[in-house]
Structures are given as C-alpha cells and as structure tokens.
Amino acid sequence: MRGALNEGVRPREVFAWSLYDFANSGYTTVVLTAVFNAYFVGVVAGNASWATLAWTATLSLSYLIVMVAMPGLGAWADARAAKKRLLALSTAGCVAATAALAWAGPGGLWIAVPAIIVSNVCYSIGESVVAAFLPELARPEALGRVSGWGWSFGYFGGMLTLGLSLAVVISAQARGQGAAEFVPLTMLLTAGVFALASLPVFALLRERAQPRPGAARPQGIGAVLRRLAASLREARAFPDFRMLLLCGVFYQAGIAVVITLAAVYAEQVMRFSQSQIMMLVFLVNIAAAAGAFAFGFVQDRIGHRAALGATLAGWIAMVLIAYATRSAAGFWVAATLAGLCMGSSQSAGRAMTGALAPSARLAEFFALWTFATRLASIVGPLTYGAVTWITAGNHRLAILVTGVFFLAGLAVLARIDMRRGEALGRATA
C-alpha cells in the first residue's frame, strides 16, 4: 500500500478514508434502493396513485439542491481548508435525518419528505467531499487502485447494513409484525452503522489543504447561483475535465437507472419474487465490490480513459443481455455484469476526476463532478419512466433506450486527452 500513497500519508489514513465509503453505502442500499423506497410508496403514502411520483419528485428535489449548492460549498471548503469540517457536518445531518425516518409511519409525509431531502442532500455532500481527499492520499499513478479500495469497502458496507436490516425484517415478520413496525428499526440501524463506521475518518484523516486568506462563504441563493455559474465558467480552462463532466452525465444516467429501477425491472419483466430481488441486490453488491477492487489495478496499468471505456462497453453488453433474455439465468448473468461494471465505472470516474482536477481546487472540482452525477440521477430515471409511460409499460424497450446513455458516454470519452488534462491541472495547482 505504501508505494501507492503520497509522501507523509499513512496506510491507516487510507483505511479510515475507505471506511467512510463503507459507512455511507448502507444509506443508499437500505434507504434508497431496497427498503424505504417501497415503504414510502406502500405505507407512508398508502399506495396512492401519486405515491411513486411523490417519491421520485422528492429525490429529484434533493438532487437539484445538491447541483445548485455543491460547487459553492466546494469552493468554500477549498478556500478555508475546511473539507473535513464540511464532511463532519454533512455526516451528522445524514445520520440525524435517516434516524428521523423511523418516525415516518402511515400518512407521515410531513416527516418522510423533508427527512429524505435532508438525508440525501447531506449524503451527496459527504460523498463529494470525501472523494476530494483522494488526490491528497494517492500518488497520481495509483489513483485507480486507491479509489477502488474505497468503492469495494463501500459495497461491503452496504451488504452489512442490508444484511442486518434483513435479519430485523425476518425476525419481525416471524412475530407477525408489519412493515410499519419493523422498517423504522431498519432506519435506526442504518443511521447507527453510518455514525459508528464514519468515526475513524474524523480521528485519523488529515486536512492537508491550507486556507486562503480573505475567503468567505457564499451568502444567499443569489451568491450560491453566481458561484455555481462561476465554477462552470472557470472550468472552461480545463476542456478535458469539462468533457469528463459531460461523459459522466451520460453514463451515470444509465447507472442511475440500474440503481433506481433494477428491482422494478426484475419484478415487472422477469417476475422475480421479493426474496429473489433481495438476493439480486446482494449479488450486485458482491460483484461491484470485486469489480471496484480488482479493476483499480487494471486502471492504473492501462490508463484512466481506456479503463472507463472498457467498463462502458461492459454496460452496453449488460443492457443487450437484459433486453434479450427471457430466462432467470440470463438475467442473473446481466445482474452480475452490471455489478462488475458499476463498481469499476464509478471508481474510474472518481479517479479520473482526481487526475484532471487542479490540486488547489479539489473540493470545488469534485463538487462539479457531483453536479454532473446528480443531474444524471434526474435525467436517467425520468427517461426510463417516460419510455414506459409512452409505451404503456414496455420495460424492455426502456432498458434498451438506457443503453444509449452508455453509447453517448463512450463517444464523449473518446474526446478526452488525459495527458493534456493532467498537464493543465498541474500547471494551475
């Protein structure tokens, strides 16, 4: 490990940094993907005709807030050398809001909606800020493998939290309890795992940036919007980074579809049972952990652009298999391939951002990457939903259309010159 790290970085710092991915992955796995989303629709909103729309609209609003606010927060964190402080605040906010979901019972939209918005905004801020530490920890030639360590830890964290939650669910159902009784316990469990597993990062990870005198936090929505516009405008000086942002919008839109709607596709098209869907989530997480860890070494060997290109080709193959297969076995193959590509492509995008971002503006440029991925999280699922609506529920066509996002990402990726981009980043450090 030491050969992959910058001078003065201890392996325990990287371990603590990776544990943050372990800590926060339970939130996305349990709250957004496997448990609370269905609970929101079926129990909190009472299976109303508008319930699914309310869930997707709530998530979209949270992503919109992150898109607008994150670049300004990132610039402030760079100027004040306050990445760790911002990480602590966002972690506390996500943990508290996740715990608050335990009080969202039937008809409890009044607490569920704001708690989801706050928790998802804080989660997104933390995900962006912790990523900005990557170039401070890893040598330029080792960004891929170190990023992969973090992502692989993250998927295991998601599996741990999901496994503990499933134990709670199975035990409660054996006693005859309903979702309104056991889902709140899973929210408290998820919040607790996040809080405990995140502690090492605050104890061991160092803030190496130096504050810039006279820096001030943006005030008011007008200042925030001006900061966002300024960040996007100033990124024009880094054409390859801007191409990476566009590439990220496309391929992350496809990934967002898989994360948000894979369970729906499995149920509606493949007729999977709830237990099969849960096993599917575990399989995808195991494959994603393996893909993130192993492919990081491949990325450092063959280069960032070639590595990301290979994963996008894998995503296209996955879409074609999922579209064409009529058998459960074929869909399990597609799910395994999706997991491998998910871990490697998300890790590769983070490493590429670290390679192209100027070292004095890491939090700001990772915030722009977050802007791109959250925009993708709105565009991808809405496109899928629109296709199913227009075609009266044709999920196969919708998943095939999702492949266009990966093709577009591959086309934009071909225009990125990593040598030029890395040289520009170093020149403006």
Side-chain angles (χ1 to χ4, degrees), residues 122-412:
C122 289
Y123 163 80
S124 299
I125 292 171
E127 182 187 43
S128 176
V129 174
V130 81
F133 283 95
L134 174 61
E136 296 179 357
L137 300 174
R139 296 180 185 275
E141 65 274 13
L143 287 169
R145 78 191 78 159
V146 175
S147 179
W149 294 340
W151 276 110
S152 60
F153 262 63
Y155 288 114
F156 282 114
M159 284 187 284
L160 171 66
T161 309
L162 180 59
L164 293 174
S165 297
L166 283 177
V168 170
V169 171
I170 292 171
S171 175
Q173 288 179 332
R175 297 193 300 271
Q177 294 180 339
E181 295 172 287
F182 59 73
V183 168
L185 293 178
T186 68
M187 296 300 101
L188 294 175
L189 178 64
T190 302
V193 171
F194 192 166
L196 289 174
S198 67
L199 292 178
V201 79
F202 301 111
L204 300 176
L205 185 63
R206 289 173 52 194
E207 177 79 67
R208 289 175 168 79
Q210 296 299 316
R212 297 200 296 267
R217 189 181 194 136
Q219 298 294 324
I221 186 63
V224 169
L225 292 174
R226 287 193 295 273
R227 179 64 260 175
L228 170 60
S231 295
L232 292 171
R233 184 171 59 251
E234 291 161 11
R236 294 175 184 171
F238 306 89
D240 299 293
F241 179 79
R242 283 171 61 88
M243 283 293 104
L244 176 61
L245 293 182
L246 182 59
C247 174
V249 169
F250 284 125
Y251 86 79
Q252 291 281 358
I255 293 176
V257 169
V258 175
I259 292 173
T260 307
L261 297 161
V264 174
Y265 190 90
E267 180 186 37
Q268 295 293 319
V269 179
M270 305 307 301
R271 304 302 177 189
F272 274 30
S273 67
Q274 186 61 51
S275 60
Q276 286 177 305
I277 291 172
M278 289 179 177
M279 289 301 298
L280 191 74
V281 173
F282 272 108
L283 174 68
V284 170
N285 274 272
I286 292 170
F293 183 83
F295 207 75
F297 292 89
V298 176
Q299 182 173 353
D300 289 335
R301 180 176 294 274
I302 68 175
H304 299 298
R305 191 178 74 169
L308 183 56
T311 68
L312 296 186
W315 274 116
I316 294 168
M318 184 282 298
V319 167
L320 293 175
I321 294 171
Y323 168 76
T325 188
R326 295 298 193 271
S327 69
F331 193 71
W332 283 102
V333 171
T336 303
L337 183 56
L340 290 170
C341 293
M342 186 180 300
S344 54
S345 57
Q346 289 183 314
S347 176
R350 178 164 72 176
M352 283 187 72
T353 302
L356 297 175
S359 59
R361 302 173 67 181
L362 292 175
E364 181 181 3
F365 273 62
F366 270 98
L368 290 174
W369 176 247
T370 300
F371 176 95
T373 59
R374 293 311 179 264
L375 176 60
S377 295
I378 297 173
V379 171
L382 284 180
T383 301
Y384 184 101
V387 172
T388 58
W389 178 59
I390 292 170
T391 61
N394 191 335
H395 287 267
R396 288 192 183 276
L397 180 60
I399 199 67
L400 187 63
V401 171
T402 299
V404 175
F405 288 122
F406 297 117
L407 284 170
L410 198 58
V412 175

